[in-house]
């Protein structure tokens, strides 16, 4: 009884501390996952907690459960639309890119640790993949806003590159233990893992969505049903020898996009569960490591981390993404956000479980590389986005968005604006508001009073205006209700003037006295920009039109709806696609 009470007390206190640690992360910019990792080390046998934990099998079980939740949650929040922007480059990164990274890093490990070629390649394979937990967390925190194509590429890559890393790790373990092993069965196993894992994710994800849409349950039970289904998808794929990592991610994508009921509740619940899984995962991995064992390996492991961060990852990104016409600044940012996290540490458990020679050293090296990656790269993601000029300007006003799940209202939100003094809508009558076509004025609250007859009311500063709006129209509403003028950062990035995507290139060129050259003047700005960016167009993309810089401000259903315009000489940096 006493031990049970002490255990529950310790667990509860640990969770409270973990939650409060998020404030430290926000204040100092430290990656929260790094704090959990250090907390686990502090509680371990070399730390203040003096907890001796060497249960590799138990750690592997907990880590697998946590990764299943994290990957499934990452899929749930991934809209189909990002696959149009980032699927092909992400898949090249997730396969060919992992191989390039593993080979370069493995050759460096062979030299730095004076081990055999296979042992070095095993280390390279273990640290060859980016980590979904780290990438998903860092891209969705601290208000980081980047080009949607960059976000799509990074998220899809991190959610789908684990099968290649697992394949390489298992293959090299097999070759170390049995050098005469044929490669053909190993290749067949990889094809099975990728193909069957993906099919299971597609079919099972559709099944989960169908259950949620058709079965009537208490609202609080839908999130539990979806979570249990995600774990079942991961377990089913793994039980038949395919990739549970890929199945969980794909299943989450399909389920998240097809669910029509309780979507808001499911996502909020899974956000919390994913956070708890990340905390538990990094805590237990921190407990498993013995810091005193890392010190003798530190110089060589630090050199290996440097090779991985500054040579292997950039080389893999350049070789993978150059055919897709990614600008060098975007390639540099993708290289820097190649974060290593829980997955390499979990893969480091594979040699321990297999009992290969030097497996403890391999695990410690993987752990050290992850630690350096989280410190160096994880701490600097936001500064890197600014340095490589890929961060979009933050929106200037606060707003509260409530996603609606009711039939016929999918893709729409209840938006609440507090009217800013001097905004365009101030002084206008409700019926005269120039609202976007899919937006409707629902209510006006002045002070604590709900005003009747909103169509006849004149809006004043500090009114709270409630609207039903399509997600693609939020920026227009911000300019109507929340901005007096464009912020300086936005003027510098998007340009001083804003045009509709349907405006004709010829009309724009005539107004600004610009030579079009071979460009068809009858094209709309939307058609022109989509012809420039063959890989798909995203907010923040730039192209030149004579002496003008055009910057994509808004995209809806793959089409450019709003374009920023500025003379090229007024732009301090050039990230444009040059068009003759």
């Amino acid at each position: 009884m006493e031990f049970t009470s002490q255990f529950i007390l310790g667990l509860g206190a640990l969770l409270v501390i973990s939650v409060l640690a998020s404030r430290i992360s926000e204040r100092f910019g430290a990656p929260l996952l790094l704090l959990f990792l250090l907390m686990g080390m502090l509680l371990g046998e070399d730390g203040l907690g003096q907890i001796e934990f060497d249960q590799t099998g138990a750690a592997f079980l907990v880590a697998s459960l946590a990764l299943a939740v994290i990957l499934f949650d990452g899929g749930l929040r991934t809209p189909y639309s990002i696959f149009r922007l980032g699927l092909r480059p992400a898949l090249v990164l997730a396969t060919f890119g992992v191989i390039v990274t593993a080979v370069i890093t493995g050759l460096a490990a062979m030299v730095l640790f004076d081990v055999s070629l296979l042992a070095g390649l095993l280390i390279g394979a273990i640290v060859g993949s980016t980590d979904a937990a780290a990438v998903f967390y860092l891209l969705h925190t601290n208000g980081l806003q980047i080009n949607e194509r960059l976000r799509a590429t990074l998220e899809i890559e991190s959610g789908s590159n684990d099968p290649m890393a697992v394949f390489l790790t298992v293959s090299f373990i097999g070759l170390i233990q049995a050098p005469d092993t044929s490669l053909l069965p190993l290749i067949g196993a990889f094809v099975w893992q990728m193909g069957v894992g993906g099919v299971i994710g597609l079919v099972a994800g559709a099944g989960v969505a169908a259950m949620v849409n058709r079965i009537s349950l208490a609202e609080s039970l839908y999130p539990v049903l979806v979570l249990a289904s995600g774990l079942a998808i991961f377990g089913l794929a793994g039980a038949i020898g395919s990739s549970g990592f890929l199945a969980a991610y794909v299943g989450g994508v399909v389920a998240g996009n097809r669910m029509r009921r309780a979507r808001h509740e499911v996502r909020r619940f899974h956000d919390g569960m994913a956070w708890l899984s990340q905390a538990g995962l990094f805590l237990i991995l921190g407990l498993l490591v013995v810091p005193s064992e890392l010190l003798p390996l530190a110089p060589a492991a630090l050199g290996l981390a440097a090779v991985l961060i500054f040579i292997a990852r950039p080389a893999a990104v350049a070789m993978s993404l150059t055919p897709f016409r990614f600008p060098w600044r975007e390639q540099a940012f993708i290289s820097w956000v190649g974060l290593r996290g829980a997955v390499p540490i979990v893969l480091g458990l594979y040699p321990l479980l297999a009992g290969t020679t030097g497996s403890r050293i391999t695990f410690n090296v993987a752990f050290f590389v992850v630690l350096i990656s989280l410190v160096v790269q994880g701490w600097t993601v936001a500064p890197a986005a600014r340095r490589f000029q890929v961060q979009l300007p933050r929106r200037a006003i606060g707003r509260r968005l409530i996603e609606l799940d009711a039939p016929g209202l999918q893709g729409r939100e209840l938006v609440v604006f507090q009217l800013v003094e001097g905004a365009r809508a101030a002084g206008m009558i409700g019926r005269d508001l120039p609202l976007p076509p899919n937006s409707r004025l629902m209510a006006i609250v002045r002070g604590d009073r709900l005003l009747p007859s909103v169509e006849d009311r004149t809006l004043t500063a500090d009114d709270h205006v409630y609207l039903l709006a399509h997600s693609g129209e939020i920026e227009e509403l911000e300019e109507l209700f929340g901005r007096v003028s464009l912020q300086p950062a936005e003027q510098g990035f998007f340009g001083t003037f804003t045009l509709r995507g349907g405006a004709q290139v010829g009309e724009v060129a005539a107004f600004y006295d610009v030579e079009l050259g071979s460009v068809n003047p009858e094209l709309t700005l939307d058609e022109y920009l989509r012809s420039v960016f063959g890989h798909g167009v995203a907010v923040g993309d730039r192209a030149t039109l004579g002496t003008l810089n055009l910057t994509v401000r808004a995209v809806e259903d793959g089409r450019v709806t709003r374009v920023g315009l500025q003379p090229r000489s007024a732009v301090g940096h050039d990230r444009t696609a040059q068009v003759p």
Side-chain angles (χ1 to χ4, degrees):
M1 287 289 289
E2 184 178 353
F3 170 78
T4 301
S5 300
Q6 291 175 350
F7 177 80
I8 294 174
L9 172 63
L11 180 63
L14 192 61
L15 287 174
V16 169
I17 294 171
S18 299
V19 173
L20 296 179
S22 63
R23 295 296 301 161
I24 300 175
S25 175
E26 293 174 7
R27 185 174 181 84
F28 297 103
L32 187 59
L33 306 180
L34 174 63
L35 297 180
F36 292 144
L37 203 60
L38 295 176
M39 194 179 303
M41 295 171 66
L42 188 65
L43 294 171
E45 60 182 271
D46 279 359
L48 299 177
Q50 297 288 303
I51 299 174
E52 295 186 12
F53 181 77
D54 58 357
Q55 301 298 316
T56 305
F60 184 76
L61 174 61
V62 173
S64 297
L65 281 169
L67 286 173
V69 175
I70 293 167
L71 286 165
F72 191 68
D73 172 71
L76 284 175
R77 70 171 80 198
T78 302
Y80 282 148
S81 59
I82 77 166
F83 288 93
R84 175 182 51 82
L85 292 173
L87 180 61
R88 289 186 297 164
L91 289 182
V92 175
L93 274 175
T95 50
F96 176 73
V98 171
I99 294 174
V100 173
T101 304
V103 170
I104 296 175
T105 309
L107 293 174
M110 180 183 68
V111 174
L112 290 169
F113 294 98
D114 192 22
V115 295
S116 67
L117 176 60
L118 285 177
L121 291 175
L122 174 60
I123 294 174
I126 288 171
V127 299
S129 66
T130 59
D131 181 65
V135 171
F136 288 159
Y137 175 78
L138 288 172
L139 290 183
H140 289 274
T141 56
N142 300 323
L144 182 62
Q145 296 181 31
I146 60 174
N147 182 297
E148 279 299 311
R149 185 175 54 260
L150 288 183
R151 185 183 297 275
T153 301
L154 287 165
E155 290 188 356
I156 297 172
E157 179 207 6
S158 65
S160 61
N161 64 6
D162 298 325
M164 177 57 78
V166 172
F167 163 70
L168 294 176
T169 300
V170 172
S171 297
F172 288 129
I173 290 174
L175 291 172
I176 289 172
Q177 293 180 328
D180 297 331
T181 301
S182 172
L183 290 179
L184 190 58
L186 296 176
I187 296 174
F190 172 70
V191 174
W192 173 269
Q193 285 189 3
M194 291 288 289
V196 176
V199 170
I200 288 176
L202 288 171
V203 175
V208 172
M211 279 197 302
V212 172
N213 293 336
R214 297 178 184 178
I215 300 176
S216 296
L217 298 171
E219 290 294 321
S220 58
L221 293 181
Y222 287 111
V224 179
L225 174 64
V226 174
L227 175 62
S229 300
L231 295 176
I233 292 171
F234 182 90
L236 173 62
I240 61 175
S242 63
S243 174
F245 298 111
L246 183 61
Y249 178 69
V250 173
V253 171
V254 175
N257 282 275
R258 291 195 175 193
M259 281 191 302
R260 294 294 177 263
R261 179 184 285 172
R263 294 173 62 187
H264 186 61
E265 290 80 3
V266 167
R267 287 177 179 172
R268 290 188 63 181
F269 175 80
H270 275 263
D271 282 346
M273 290 303 302
W275 182 92
L276 183 62
S277 298
Q278 291 168 7
L281 173 59
F282 279 82
L283 280 170
I284 198 165
L285 293 177
L287 278 174
L288 191 63
V289 75
V290 181
S292 60
E293 295 180 357
L294 298 178
L295 295 178
L297 301 171
L302 187 61
L304 185 67
V307 170
L308 174 64
I309 294 172
F310 296 107
I311 299 176
R313 173 68 176 178
V317 169
M319 295 170 68
S320 300
L321 297 187
T322 297
F324 296 99
R325 295 189 290 177
F326 275 73
W328 75 266
R329 294 182 185 278
E330 295 183 359
Q331 291 189 30
F333 181 72
I334 291 174
S335 298
W336 193 252
V337 189
L339 291 160
R340 271 57 192 173
V343 171
I345 300 178
V346 173
L347 292 180
L349 298 176
Y350 280 48
L352 286 172
L353 294 171
T356 59
T357 303
S359 57
R360 188 71 195 181
I361 293 176
T362 301
F363 173 78
N364 287 332
V365 170
F367 188 93
F368 193 94
V369 169
V370 168
L371 196 62
I372 296 301
S373 178
L374 288 175
V375 171
V376 175
Q377 295 171 286
W379 215 310
T380 57
V381 168
R386 294 191 294 270
R387 175 67 182 84
F388 295 121
Q389 300 171 357
V390 298
Q391 183 173 10
L392 303 181
R394 292 190 179 186
R395 287 170 175 164
I397 66 169
R399 65 181 186 272
R400 188 165 69 247
L401 305 179
I402 303 173
E403 184 179 3
L404 299 176
D405 289 333
L409 295 179
Q410 285 81 18
R412 288 173 172 76
E413 299 163 340
L414 183 63
V415 191
V416 185
F417 291 96
Q418 185 171 12
L419 193 60
V420 174
E421 180 75 40
R424 282 201 298 142
M428 299 183 85
I429 299 173
R431 72 168 70 92
D432 297 331
L433 289 172
L435 297 177
N438 293 311
S439 296
R440 298 290 183 273
L441 178 64
M442 304 299 294
I444 301 173
V445 175
R446 183 166 298 162
D448 294 328
R449 188 165 60 94
L450 178 65
L451 300 183
S453 305
V454 293
E455 296 291 331
D456 301 323
R457 291 290 175 175
T458 300
L459 276 69
T460 61
D462 294 328
D463 281 350
H464 285 83
V465 184
Y466 288 72
L467 302 107
L468 183 65
H470 191 277
S471 57
E473 298 174 339
I474 298 301
E475 185 176 359
E476 283 191 67
L477 293 174
E478 285 181 343
E479 294 179 358
L480 178 62
F481 293 100
R483 291 191 180 112
V484 177
S485 62
L486 288 176
Q487 300 298 308
E490 290 181 287
Q491 290 183 350
F493 191 93
F494 289 113
T496 306
F497 306 103
T498 300
L499 305 177
R500 295 275 183 179
Q504 284 195 331
V505 167
E507 295 175 349
V508 175
F511 186 84
Y512 289 97
D513 194 20
V514 170
E515 293 291 335
L516 287 179
S518 60
V519 178
N520 183 356
E522 295 185 359
L523 290 176
T524 65
L525 290 176
D526 163 52
E527 292 168 339
Y528 172 68
L529 289 167
R530 285 193 288 120
S531 71
V532 171
F533 297 99
H535 50 258
V537 65
V539 173
D541 280 340
R542 282 182 173 163
T544 60
L545 182 66
T547 58
L548 301 176
N549 269 327
L550 304 177
T551 306
V552 178
R553 289 191 61 109
V555 177
E556 185 175 347
D557 297 328
R559 294 186 175 275
V560 179
T561 57
R562 296 170 69 78
V563 180
L565 182 146
Q566 188 152 307
R568 195 189 310 170
S569 59
V571 180
H573 55 272
D574 185 12
R575 296 194 305 111
T576 62
Q578 299 293 336
V579 181

